[in-house]
Amino acid sequence: MRLAEASQYAYAHLPDAKGLVAEDHPHAMGLYWGATSWPGVCEAVEAASHVVTAGTVWTDYSTTGWSLLLQPSKVIKVRPPAP
């Protein structure tokens, strides 16, 4: 949430993150879940020049059977440092 507020960028969440981010925040686009995303969210995320992910775990569930069309070259992964 601090990153979204500091950057002023819109954000979407995967089903596994529901409850971790505010869905009523002014920058919230809604649920990104491949072909079953909320209206307009899939198109906005997949058309973005870059997508920042934080703690994302890509599985067949979170991608709706790998139906996401994100280009790996556009994804910036944020992960905690290794112990």
Side-chain angles (χ1 to χ4, degrees):
M1 292 307 307
R2 289 191 311 237
L3 176 61
E5 289 175 4
S7 69
Q8 299 294 303
Y9 292 140
Y11 67 88
H13 64 277
L14 292 172
D16 292 347
K18 194 166 179 61
L20 295 176
V21 296
E23 295 182 68
D24 60 350
H25 190 279
H27 300 293
M29 288 192 297
L31 180 68
Y32 176 60
W33 202 8
T36 60
S37 298
W38 290 1
V41 176
C42 186
E43 294 82 0
V45 170
E46 293 176 357
S49 62
H50 288 86
V51 173
V52 178
T53 63
T56 304
V57 178
W58 301 109
T59 66
D60 60 338
Y61 172 75
S62 66
T63 63
T64 321
W66 304 104
S67 69
L68 306 183
L69 298 176
L70 282 177
Q71 296 177 353
S73 62
K74 292 183 175 186
V75 177
I76 301 168
K77 300 174 186 174
V78 178
R79 295 185 180 163

